[in-house]
Amino acid sequence: GNGHPLASKRLIDKVVVVTGGARGIGGATAKLMAENGAHVVIADILDELGINLANSINGRYVHCDVSVESDVEAAIQFAITWKGKIDILYNNAGIGDIGGSITTIDMKRVSKIVGVNVNGVVHGIKHAARAMIKAGTSGSIINSSSTAAIMGGLGSHAYTLTKEAILGVTRSSSCELGLYGIRVNCVLPHGVLSEMLVDAYRGFKKDATVEEVQQSVSETASLLKGRCGMVEDIAHAVLFLATEESGFITGHNLVIDGGYTT
Ligand code: NAI
Protein backbone atom coordinates (compact mmCIF):
# COMPACT_ATOMS: atom_id res chain seq x y z
CA GLY A 1 0.00 0.00 0.00
CA ASN A 2 0.97 3.68 -0.13
CA GLY A 3 0.63 4.21 3.61
CA HIS A 4 -2.79 5.78 3.36
CA PRO A 5 -4.99 4.24 6.06
CA LEU A 6 -7.62 3.44 3.48
CA ALA A 7 -5.22 2.06 0.85
CA SER A 8 -6.58 -1.45 1.22
CA LYS A 9 -10.06 -0.25 0.38
CA ARG A 10 -10.64 -0.82 -3.26
CA LEU A 11 -13.72 1.30 -3.93
CA ILE A 12 -13.09 4.52 -2.03
CA ASP A 13 -15.70 7.16 -2.93
CA LYS A 14 -17.23 5.01 -5.65
CA VAL A 15 -21.01 5.16 -5.94
CA VAL A 16 -22.68 1.81 -6.48
CA VAL A 17 -26.23 0.67 -7.16
CA VAL A 18 -26.98 -2.99 -6.38
CA THR A 19 -30.33 -4.27 -7.61
CA GLY A 20 -31.73 -7.12 -5.56
CA GLY A 21 -29.32 -6.00 -2.86
CA ALA A 22 -31.57 -6.67 0.14
CA ARG A 23 -30.42 -10.27 0.65
CA GLY A 24 -28.53 -13.18 -0.89
CA ILE A 25 -25.71 -12.58 -3.35
CA GLY A 26 -26.69 -8.93 -3.82
CA GLY A 27 -26.77 -8.34 -0.07
CA ALA A 28 -23.32 -9.86 0.44
CA THR A 29 -21.96 -7.77 -2.43
CA ALA A 30 -23.49 -4.54 -1.08
CA LYS A 31 -21.82 -5.26 2.27
CA LEU A 32 -18.42 -6.12 0.77
CA MET A 33 -18.44 -3.03 -1.44
CA ALA A 34 -19.33 -0.81 1.52
CA GLU A 35 -16.47 -2.38 3.51
CA ASN A 36 -14.25 -1.38 0.60
CA GLY A 37 -15.25 2.25 0.85
CA ALA A 38 -18.12 2.46 -1.62
CA HIS A 39 -21.33 4.43 -1.15
CA VAL A 40 -23.97 1.78 -1.78
CA VAL A 41 -27.57 2.16 -2.88
CA ILE A 42 -29.62 -0.99 -2.42
CA ALA A 43 -32.51 -1.21 -4.90
CA ASP A 44 -35.01 -3.96 -4.14
CA ILE A 45 -38.65 -4.75 -3.45
CA LEU A 46 -38.03 -6.24 0.02
CA ASP A 47 -38.26 -2.91 1.84
CA GLU A 48 -37.71 -3.96 5.44
CA LEU A 49 -34.70 -6.17 4.74
CA GLY A 50 -33.27 -3.58 2.35
CA ILE A 51 -33.64 -0.68 4.79
CA ASN A 52 -32.01 -2.65 7.62
CA LEU A 53 -29.06 -3.73 5.50
CA ALA A 54 -28.60 -0.23 4.04
CA ASN A 55 -28.58 1.26 7.55
CA SER A 56 -25.98 -1.26 8.72
CA ILE A 57 -23.55 -0.34 5.90
CA ASN A 58 -24.12 3.42 5.96
CA GLY A 59 -25.80 3.14 2.57
CA ARG A 60 -29.24 3.98 1.22
CA TYR A 61 -32.27 1.95 0.24
CA VAL A 62 -34.63 2.67 -2.61
CA HIS A 63 -37.75 0.67 -3.47
CA CYS A 64 -37.27 -0.46 -7.06
CA ASP A 65 -39.00 -3.14 -9.08
CA VAL A 66 -36.46 -3.68 -11.85
CA SER A 67 -39.15 -4.82 -14.29
CA VAL A 68 -40.49 -1.24 -14.20
CA GLU A 69 -38.24 1.06 -16.23
CA SER A 70 -39.16 4.24 -14.33
CA ASP A 71 -38.24 2.53 -11.02
CA VAL A 72 -34.76 1.70 -12.31
CA GLU A 73 -34.27 5.16 -13.75
CA ALA A 74 -35.33 6.63 -10.38
CA ALA A 75 -32.94 4.36 -8.44
CA ILE A 76 -30.00 5.52 -10.53
CA GLN A 77 -31.15 9.13 -10.23
CA PHE A 78 -31.37 8.60 -6.45
CA ALA A 79 -27.67 7.67 -6.34
CA ILE A 80 -26.76 10.71 -8.43
CA THR A 81 -28.79 13.01 -6.18
CA TRP A 82 -27.19 11.45 -3.09
CA LYS A 83 -23.52 11.43 -4.14
CA GLY A 84 -23.39 13.27 -7.46
CA LYS A 85 -22.62 10.29 -9.72
CA ILE A 86 -22.88 6.59 -10.40
CA ASP A 87 -19.71 4.57 -10.99
CA ILE A 88 -20.88 0.98 -10.70
CA LEU A 89 -24.12 -0.88 -11.32
CA TYR A 90 -24.62 -4.49 -10.30
CA ASN A 91 -27.69 -5.81 -12.12
CA ASN A 92 -28.17 -8.69 -9.70
CA ALA A 93 -31.94 -8.80 -9.16
CA GLY A 94 -33.47 -11.95 -10.54
CA ILE A 95 -36.14 -14.52 -9.89
CA GLY A 96 -35.85 -18.27 -10.14
CA ASP A 97 -38.37 -20.79 -11.30
CA ILE A 98 -39.18 -24.45 -10.93
CA GLY A 99 -38.69 -26.89 -13.80
CA GLY A 100 -41.45 -28.13 -16.04
CA SER A 101 -42.06 -29.39 -19.53
CA ILE A 102 -41.72 -27.16 -22.60
CA THR A 103 -44.97 -28.77 -23.76
CA THR A 104 -46.95 -27.14 -20.97
CA ILE A 105 -44.93 -23.98 -20.46
CA ASP A 106 -47.02 -21.13 -19.04
CA MET A 107 -46.44 -18.03 -21.17
CA LYS A 108 -47.66 -15.66 -18.44
CA ARG A 109 -44.92 -17.06 -16.21
CA VAL A 110 -42.39 -16.65 -19.03
CA SER A 111 -43.36 -12.98 -19.43
CA LYS A 112 -43.02 -12.41 -15.69
CA ILE A 113 -39.52 -13.93 -15.57
CA VAL A 114 -38.42 -12.11 -18.72
CA GLY A 115 -39.77 -8.88 -17.22
CA VAL A 116 -37.54 -9.14 -14.17
CA ASN A 117 -34.48 -11.04 -15.38
CA VAL A 118 -34.10 -9.60 -18.89
CA ASN A 119 -35.93 -6.29 -18.98
CA GLY A 120 -34.57 -5.48 -15.51
CA VAL A 121 -30.99 -5.83 -16.75
CA VAL A 122 -31.68 -3.82 -19.91
CA HIS A 123 -33.30 -1.03 -17.88
CA GLY A 124 -30.22 -0.92 -15.65
CA ILE A 125 -27.66 -0.83 -18.47
CA LYS A 126 -29.69 1.79 -20.33
CA HIS A 127 -30.02 4.27 -17.50
CA ALA A 128 -26.60 3.74 -15.91
CA ALA A 129 -24.92 4.14 -19.28
CA ARG A 130 -26.90 7.30 -20.04
CA ALA A 131 -25.83 8.82 -16.72
CA MET A 132 -22.19 7.79 -17.15
CA ILE A 133 -22.01 9.08 -20.73
CA LYS A 134 -23.70 12.35 -19.75
CA ALA A 135 -21.22 12.83 -16.88
CA GLY A 136 -18.29 11.83 -19.10
CA THR A 137 -17.12 9.29 -16.54
CA SER A 138 -16.03 5.70 -17.05
CA GLY A 139 -17.87 2.99 -15.20
CA SER A 140 -18.41 -0.68 -14.60
CA ILE A 141 -21.66 -2.56 -15.08
CA ILE A 142 -21.92 -6.16 -13.89
CA ASN A 143 -24.84 -8.38 -14.86
CA SER A 144 -26.00 -11.59 -13.24
CA SER A 145 -26.39 -14.57 -15.55
CA SER A 146 -26.08 -18.22 -14.47
CA THR A 147 -24.42 -21.44 -15.56
CA ALA A 148 -27.96 -22.30 -16.73
CA ALA A 149 -27.04 -20.14 -19.74
CA ILE A 150 -24.19 -22.42 -20.84
CA MET A 151 -25.04 -25.93 -19.69
CA GLY A 152 -28.01 -28.16 -20.35
CA GLY A 153 -30.11 -29.75 -17.65
CA LEU A 154 -33.67 -30.24 -16.52
CA GLY A 155 -34.12 -26.74 -15.19
CA SER A 156 -36.68 -24.11 -16.07
CA HIS A 157 -36.87 -23.21 -19.76
CA ALA A 158 -37.97 -19.68 -18.90
CA TYR A 159 -35.12 -19.09 -16.42
CA THR A 160 -32.56 -20.53 -18.85
CA LEU A 161 -33.63 -18.32 -21.72
CA THR A 162 -33.46 -15.20 -19.58
CA LYS A 163 -29.96 -16.01 -18.35
CA GLU A 164 -28.72 -16.62 -21.91
CA ALA A 165 -30.28 -13.32 -23.01
CA ILE A 166 -28.16 -11.61 -20.37
CA LEU A 167 -24.99 -12.95 -22.04
CA GLY A 168 -26.23 -11.43 -25.30
CA VAL A 169 -26.93 -7.97 -23.97
CA THR A 170 -23.66 -8.02 -22.00
CA ARG A 171 -21.78 -8.68 -25.24
CA SER A 172 -23.69 -6.18 -27.38
CA SER A 173 -23.66 -3.35 -24.84
CA SER A 174 -19.97 -3.85 -24.03
CA CYS A 175 -19.17 -3.31 -27.73
CA GLU A 176 -20.98 0.02 -27.81
CA LEU A 177 -20.10 1.30 -24.34
CA GLY A 178 -16.38 0.55 -24.64
CA LEU A 179 -16.25 3.74 -26.72
CA TYR A 180 -16.95 5.66 -23.51
CA GLY A 181 -14.68 3.63 -21.24
CA ILE A 182 -17.67 1.89 -19.71
CA ARG A 183 -17.11 -1.82 -19.08
CA VAL A 184 -19.90 -4.40 -19.08
CA ASN A 185 -19.29 -7.90 -17.74
CA CYS A 186 -21.33 -10.67 -16.29
CA VAL A 187 -21.02 -13.35 -13.65
CA LEU A 188 -22.37 -16.89 -14.03
CA PRO A 189 -22.81 -18.37 -10.56
CA HIS A 190 -23.83 -21.91 -9.79
CA GLY A 191 -25.04 -23.64 -6.65
CA VAL A 192 -24.80 -20.67 -4.30
CA LEU A 193 -26.56 -21.10 -0.97
CA SER A 194 -29.25 -18.41 -0.92
CA GLU A 195 -32.99 -18.10 -0.42
CA MET A 196 -33.43 -18.69 -4.16
CA LEU A 197 -31.53 -21.97 -4.05
CA VAL A 198 -33.37 -23.17 -0.95
CA ASP A 199 -36.72 -22.26 -2.57
CA ALA A 200 -35.76 -24.15 -5.73
CA TYR A 201 -34.75 -27.19 -3.69
CA ARG A 202 -38.02 -27.07 -1.76
CA GLY A 203 -39.77 -27.35 -5.12
CA PHE A 204 -38.60 -30.99 -5.04
CA LYS A 205 -38.55 -31.62 -1.28
CA LYS A 206 -41.08 -29.46 0.48
CA ASP A 207 -39.68 -29.27 4.01
CA ALA A 208 -35.94 -29.42 3.30
CA THR A 209 -33.81 -27.56 5.84
CA VAL A 210 -31.08 -25.11 4.85
CA GLU A 211 -28.46 -27.57 6.19
CA GLU A 212 -29.90 -30.31 4.02
CA VAL A 213 -29.75 -28.09 0.95
CA GLN A 214 -26.15 -27.09 1.71
CA GLN A 215 -25.19 -30.72 2.20
CA SER A 216 -26.84 -31.86 -1.01
CA VAL A 217 -25.45 -29.02 -3.13
CA SER A 218 -21.96 -29.55 -1.70
CA GLU A 219 -22.05 -33.18 -2.81
CA THR A 220 -23.36 -32.67 -6.31
CA ALA A 221 -22.86 -29.14 -7.60
CA SER A 222 -19.12 -28.52 -7.43
CA LEU A 223 -15.77 -30.20 -8.04
CA LEU A 224 -14.50 -28.87 -4.74
CA LYS A 225 -15.02 -31.55 -2.19
CA GLY A 226 -17.67 -30.76 0.39
CA ARG A 227 -17.96 -27.19 -0.83
CA CYS A 228 -21.02 -25.41 -2.10
CA GLY A 229 -21.02 -21.83 -3.33
CA MET A 230 -21.43 -19.12 -0.73
CA VAL A 231 -22.77 -15.63 -1.43
CA GLU A 232 -19.34 -14.16 -0.57
CA ASP A 233 -17.75 -16.21 -3.37
CA ILE A 234 -19.77 -14.23 -5.89
CA ALA A 235 -19.38 -10.94 -4.01
CA HIS A 236 -15.57 -11.11 -4.24
CA ALA A 237 -15.68 -11.72 -7.99
CA VAL A 238 -18.09 -8.83 -8.48
CA LEU A 239 -15.85 -6.60 -6.36
CA PHE A 240 -12.96 -7.41 -8.72
CA LEU A 241 -15.08 -6.61 -11.79
CA ALA A 242 -16.15 -3.34 -10.17
CA THR A 243 -12.63 -2.06 -9.50
CA GLU A 244 -9.98 -0.82 -11.93
CA GLU A 245 -8.03 -4.00 -11.18
CA SER A 246 -10.22 -5.46 -13.94
CA GLY A 247 -9.84 -2.34 -16.09
CA PHE A 248 -8.96 -4.26 -19.29
CA ILE A 249 -11.76 -6.80 -18.89
CA THR A 250 -15.03 -6.12 -20.69
CA GLY A 251 -17.68 -8.20 -22.42
CA HIS A 252 -16.52 -11.11 -20.30
CA ASN A 253 -18.55 -13.98 -18.84
CA LEU A 254 -17.03 -14.98 -15.51
CA VAL A 255 -18.11 -18.47 -14.46
CA ILE A 256 -18.10 -18.97 -10.67
CA ASP A 257 -19.21 -22.55 -10.16
CA GLY A 258 -16.60 -24.50 -8.20
CA GLY A 259 -15.73 -26.20 -11.50
CA TYR A 260 -19.22 -27.60 -12.03
CA THR A 261 -19.34 -26.85 -15.77
CA THR A 262 -15.74 -27.98 -16.38
P1 NAI B 1 -32.27 -14.23 -3.77
O1 NAI B 1 -33.66 -14.61 -4.11
O2 NAI B 1 -31.77 -14.52 -2.41
O3 NAI B 1 -32.03 -12.68 -4.05
C1 NAI B 1 -32.61 -12.03 -5.14
C2 NAI B 1 -32.91 -10.60 -4.75
O4 NAI B 1 -33.51 -9.95 -5.88
C3 NAI B 1 -33.91 -10.50 -3.58
O5 NAI B 1 -33.49 -9.54 -2.65
C4 NAI B 1 -35.19 -10.10 -4.28
O6 NAI B 1 -36.08 -9.37 -3.46
C5 NAI B 1 -34.66 -9.26 -5.42
N1 NAI B 1 -35.65 -9.11 -6.48
C6 NAI B 1 -36.46 -10.07 -7.01
N2 NAI B 1 -37.27 -9.53 -7.93
C7 NAI B 1 -37.00 -8.21 -7.97
C8 NAI B 1 -37.52 -7.11 -8.71
N3 NAI B 1 -38.52 -7.28 -9.59
N4 NAI B 1 -36.99 -5.89 -8.51
C9 NAI B 1 -35.98 -5.71 -7.62
N5 NAI B 1 -35.46 -6.70 -6.88
C10 NAI B 1 -35.96 -7.93 -7.06
O7 NAI B 1 -31.37 -14.97 -4.88
P2 NAI B 1 -29.77 -14.98 -5.15
O8 NAI B 1 -29.38 -16.40 -5.21
O9 NAI B 1 -29.06 -14.06 -4.27
O10 NAI B 1 -29.78 -14.46 -6.66
C11 NAI B 1 -29.14 -13.29 -7.11
C12 NAI B 1 -28.88 -13.41 -8.61
O11 NAI B 1 -27.96 -14.48 -8.83
C13 NAI B 1 -30.12 -13.75 -9.44
O12 NAI B 1 -30.09 -13.00 -10.64
C14 NAI B 1 -29.96 -15.22 -9.73
O13 NAI B 1 -30.63 -15.62 -10.90
C15 NAI B 1 -28.45 -15.34 -9.84
N6 NAI B 1 -27.96 -16.70 -9.66
C16 NAI B 1 -28.03 -17.35 -8.44
C17 NAI B 1 -27.56 -18.63 -8.31
C18 NAI B 1 -27.60 -19.37 -7.01
O14 NAI B 1 -27.16 -20.52 -6.97
N7 NAI B 1 -28.08 -18.80 -5.92
C19 NAI B 1 -26.99 -19.37 -9.46
C20 NAI B 1 -26.97 -18.61 -10.68
C21 NAI B 1 -27.43 -17.33 -10.75
Side-chain angles (χ1 to χ4, degrees):
N2 59 8
H4 188 283
L6 298 177
S8 65
K9 298 200 170 184
R10 294 150 72 187
L11 288 177
I12 285 292
D13 286 334
K14 296 294 184 189
V15 181
V16 185
V17 175
V18 180
T19 70
R23 72 176 191 197
I25 295 170
T29 307
K31 195 161 166 281
L32 183 64
M33 286 180 164
E35 284 164 8
N36 277 272
H39 305 294
V40 179
V41 174
I42 292 173
D44 206 303
I45 50 177
L46 297 175
D47 297 342
E48 202 181 322
L49 272 182
I51 288 166
N52 289 341
L53 181 56
N55 285 342
S56 75
I57 62 173
N58 205 11
R60 293 290 184 273
Y61 174 79
V62 57
H63 180 92
C64 167
D65 177 344
V66 295
S67 69
V68 178
E69 180 171 357
S70 56
D71 275 19
V72 178
E73 184 175 14
I76 286 161
Q77 208 46 59
F78 180 93
I80 295 168
T81 305
W82 180 38
K83 291 290 175 188
K85 58 175 184 165
I86 173 168
D87 299 296
I88 295 147
L89 171 67
Y90 181 21
N91 279 314
N92 158 79
I95 51 175
D97 194 17
I98 48 171
S101 171
I102 192 73
T103 61
T104 52
I105 193 165
D106 174 356
M107 295 312 293
K108 275 215 192 79
R109 181 80 193 136
V110 175
S111 296
K112 163 85 180 159
I113 298 175
V114 168
V116 176
N117 293 8
V118 179
N119 298 3
V121 167
V122 176
H123 296 152
I125 300 172
K126 174 179 175 180
H127 290 286
R130 282 168 85 115
M132 289 166 182
I133 292 169
K134 190 168 165 221
T137 54
S138 60
S140 174
I141 299 171
I142 302 115
N143 302 323
S144 183
S145 176
S146 163
T147 55
I150 58 166
M151 193 181 185
L154 288 176
S156 155
H157 300 288
Y159 183 76
T160 299
L161 77 87
T162 63
K163 292 301 178 179
E164 182 135 15
I166 293 167
L167 303 186
V169 75
T170 299
R171 185 187 314 116
S172 64
S173 61
S174 68
C175 292
E176 179 190 351
L177 298 175
L179 294 170
Y180 305 95
I182 299 166
R183 299 182 296 113
V184 189
N185 292 293
C186 78
V187 288
L188 289 72
H190 180 85
V192 177
L193 193 63
S194 71
E195 304 262 353
M196 182 188 284
L197 192 75
V198 173
D199 284 349
Y201 198 90
R202 285 182 182 153
F204 302 100
K205 186 162 185 284
K206 217 168 129 259
D207 47 9
T209 63
V210 173
E211 291 69 31
E212 233 178 297
V213 176
Q214 177 161 11
Q215 176 74 20
S216 164
V217 172
S218 302
E219 282 164 9
T220 57
S222 122
L223 294 183
L224 298 168
K225 211 169 186 307
R227 174 92 153 72
C228 86
M230 301 305 279
V231 290
E232 291 78 13
D233 292 319
I234 311 306
H236 279 101
V238 174
L239 174 64
F240 168 66
L241 290 173
T243 69
E244 273 307 303
E245 296 158 22
S246 61
F248 203 52
I249 300 177
T250 193
H252 188 70
N253 302 332
L254 181 54
V255 175
I256 310 160
D257 68 347
Y260 181 70
T261 56
T262 299

